[in-house]
Amino acid sequence: MREIEAAAITETVARLAVESTHFLPKDVEGAIRDARETERSPLGVQIIDEILENAEIARERMLPLCQDTGTAVVHVELGQDVHVSGGYLIDAINAGIEQGYGEGYLRKSIVEHPFGTRTNTGTNAPGVIQTEIVPGEQIHIGFMPKGGGCENMSRYQNFLPGEGRRAVIDFVCETVDVSGGNPCPPLIIGVGVGGTAEKAMTIAKHSLFRKVGERNPDAEVAALEGDLLEAVNALGVGPQAVGGSTTALDVFVETFPTHIAALPVAVNIQCHSARTKHAVL
Amino acid sequence: MAESRAITLPLTDEVIDGLRIGDHVEFSGVIHTARDAAHKRIVAMADAGEELPLDLRGQVIYYVGPTPPREGQVIGSAGPTTAMRLDPYTPRMLELGVKGMIGKGGRGQTVREAIQAGHAIYCIAVGGTGALLNRHIRSAEVVAFEDLGTEAIRRLEVDRFPAIVVNDAFGGDLLEAGRRQYRTSSRPVPIGGSGA
């Protein structure tokens, strides 16, 4: 059994909030740079150049990459041999969100009572926190400031089991087509297939923590990822939907065993400002 | 790289006459910010016959909710938000005299028609480039609805603020035209294919 102080978790989450919102991950920046070489639309290339310049300015001047510093999505893998002392894990994470969004001059975008008064909580807490119990005596924290524009384009649908792979491709293409410029393409697309409704969306979201180019270890799923990327980029949506050959930088698919009656498909879209940051305690 | 057109604000009818979809423009002068909550309030005030906190005639409205500035900065990160959410208010805003809008993503059919009828333009700034756009904002001052925080109406002085014309005054729609031009897929373009 290993002791980890709640205060250390708070400090870590605060740091992840600031770093993730200012520094674009190298793999994402590299993928955008690569897309510049293949983009067919001159206007698309110009947009990609502005995105790359933005990453440089954000880094050098400590300005958030995007004014939408998101809902704080936190994925925690808690080793079962860890004991958190000095406070409740979830409170420690929310305290870290409050601290990071305050110290980092980040936008507080979270409102109470979604259909009512919509009063801003003023702290960007609470975060959307997923916890998973894993073997070992470490805590792994994944932090994702998830923008409202791309999250709004999430979709879920139940298909007939016999519709299979074709249904997944059609649904993803349709989602990208109708989303247009709203989720800020070039996109990274998370797809969850199987499980139940909430499981499908959870694995779709979790896939967005992967690095660009990282394939699903299952060859059949990896092949679907490749076909999806090709199908999506043939749509011509392009950077910011002005038309072009770069609609998505990557597509990640996660699967989970499902019911004999079911084929759940969830799509969770990430904008080009694909901000994630990890820490291990 | 496409050539950029320098535009000094306010927008005149002559300038709007000369703009077409796909034009890359750089705005210099004064624009005002407003997003969901401010639009809702302005339209409610106008409908109730109350005096508006600013004269909207000839104005360019920028859909943005910036991050708070650090010491010594005039504004924080300040990129565009999704324009479609403002669609329900936009025909009324155009009636009140708005001539230009800057956001991201496409507009619905009703708004496109209202833009043409109002001889106005809708442009996008590149979504997710709030740090870059910060560098084109010279001053920022809250002029109305301070209680709305990031959603308050701000008067911004901008210098060579980059944008792309998506809907011109002649009914053109860049997102629809662009998608048709670059589409290699056999799938039909969805109705209202600009993501509106």
Side-chain angles (χ1 to χ4, degrees):
Chain A
M1 180 73 75
R2 182 172 161 235
E3 293 267 334
I4 294 180
E5 282 287 334
I9 296 168
T10 297
E11 284 300 321
T12 302
V13 170
R15 175 175 65 79
L16 294 177
V18 176
E19 290 180 359
S20 64
T21 49
H22 289 77
F23 308 119
L24 194 64
K26 286 275 167 285
D27 58 296
V28 177
E29 193 168 339
I32 296 170
R33 217 172 279 285
D34 291 348
R36 192 192 185 286
E37 303 311 314
T38 54
E39 176 53 55
R40 289 166 52 217
S41 151
L43 203 49
V45 170
Q46 189 161 353
I47 288 168
I48 289 173
D49 283 340
E50 288 184 29
I51 291 170
L52 291 169
E53 194 185 341
N54 182 69
E56 200 177 306
I57 293 170
R59 195 160 49 224
E60 287 170 2
R61 294 183 178 266
M62 276 312 272
L63 274 162
L65 286 152
C66 178
Q67 76 291 337
D68 186 354
T69 50
T71 296
V73 172
V74 185
H75 188 92
V76 182
E77 288 171 21
L78 177 67
Q80 65 177 0
D81 296 324
V82 173
H83 175 244
V84 177
S85 56
Y88 172 44
L89 173 68
I90 302 300
D91 289 344
I93 292 168
N94 280 322
I97 293 167
E98 178 168 358
Q99 186 183 325
Y101 277 72
E103 290 173 352
Y105 292 84
L106 307 181
R107 196 178 79 184
K108 290 78 176 172
S109 309
I110 302 303
V111 295
E112 296 263 16
H113 303 297
F115 62 86
T117 54
R118 295 184 66 89
T119 308
N120 200 299
T121 64
T123 61
N124 217 57
V128 171
I129 303 165
Q130 297 278 346
T131 53
E132 207 176 326
I133 308 297
V134 298
E137 50 178 32
Q138 289 182 328
I139 301 179
H140 179 273
I141 302 172
F143 191 95
M144 177 192 294
K146 187 65 163 57
C150 57
E151 187 65 14
N152 269 347
M153 297 298 117
S154 308
R155 284 170 97 212
Y156 172 84
Q157 197 164 317
N158 297 299
F159 290 94
L160 299 177
E163 291 179 283
R165 197 179 194 270
R166 190 75 246 160
V168 179
I169 296 176
D170 288 348
F171 186 56
V172 171
C173 284
E174 187 189 295
T175 300
V176 172
D177 242 346
V178 299
S179 298
N182 297 349
C184 275
L187 311 170
I188 297 176
I189 303 165
V191 184
V193 185
T196 50
E198 84 286 10
K199 183 67 180 178
M201 195 55 87
T202 303
I203 60 179
K205 172 62 74 20
H206 193 230
S207 77
L208 298 173
F209 277 109
R210 274 200 230 162
K211 286 198 186 319
V212 177
E214 190 184 326
R215 296 275 62 87
N216 189 300
D218 181 307
E220 206 180 331
V221 180
L224 175 61
E225 290 174 341
D227 290 350
L228 277 169
L229 183 61
E230 197 181 312
V232 163
N233 281 332
L235 296 174
V237 173
Q240 298 295 300
V242 299
S245 47
T246 316
T247 301
L249 301 170
D250 210 344
V251 182
F252 301 138
V253 180
E254 295 288 334
T255 64
F256 195 84
T258 195
H259 193 278
I260 48 172
L263 177 54
V265 183
V267 182
N268 199 263
I269 294 183
Q270 172 64 61
C271 63
H272 65 76
S273 200
R275 299 156 289 177
T276 55
K277 188 88 189 172
H278 302 260
V280 179
L281 290 175
Chain B
M1 184 182 282
E3 210 166 292
S4 217
R5 291 188 52 179
I7 293 176
T8 304
L9 299 170
L11 276 177
T12 61
D13 280 334
E14 291 71 39
V15 169
I16 291 172
D17 277 338
L19 291 174
R20 293 293 184 278
I21 60 167
D23 285 351
H24 194 277
V25 295
E26 291 182 342
F27 291 118
S28 297
V30 171
I31 63 178
H32 282 86
T33 74
R35 37 176 294 157
D36 310 54
H39 273 76
K40 194 174 174 183
R41 243 186 235 188
I42 287 174
V43 168
M45 289 171 84
D47 288 348
E50 293 170 31
E51 195 188 335
L52 300 180
L54 76 156
D55 186 353
L56 291 173
R57 284 174 298 177
Q59 288 292 343
V60 173
I61 301 295
Y62 181 25
Y63 305 147
V64 59
T67 61
R70 286 175 185 270
E71 200 76 28
Q73 294 175 341
V74 300
I75 198 166
S77 187
T81 193
T82 308
M84 189 193 77
R85 289 200 320 275
L86 289 321
D87 276 9
Y89 310 105
T90 299
R92 190 79 174 98
M93 295 290 279
L94 289 162
E95 278 173 24
L96 293 168
V98 168
K99 278 292 183 185
M101 297 155 286
I102 307 170
K104 71 175 170 88
R107 310 305 303 251
Q109 191 56 38
T110 308
V111 169
R112 290 191 226 169
E113 286 166 12
I115 287 170
Q116 192 176 358
H119 196 67
I121 53 165
Y122 165 65
C123 301
I124 58 165
V126 177
T129 63
L132 173 105
L133 294 168
N134 164 287
R135 307 303 299 147
H136 295 277
I137 299 171
R138 293 283 169 261
S139 73
E141 181 196 356
V142 173
V143 293
F145 310 154
E146 191 160 14
D147 59 298
L148 294 180
T150 188
E151 296 206 52
I153 296 182
R154 289 172 172 79
R155 177 187 189 273
L156 306 183
E157 275 181 85
V158 297
D159 179 38
R160 302 186 62 191
F161 187 96
I164 300 163
V165 180
V166 161
N167 293 110
D168 58 27
F170 308 96
D173 186 284
L174 174 65
L175 304 196
E176 204 168 275
R179 196 172 309 186
R180 286 185 199 284
Q181 185 180 350
Y182 290 98
R183 201 170 184 91
T184 53
S185 173
S186 58
R187 294 167 193 276
V189 177
I191 308 286
S194 66

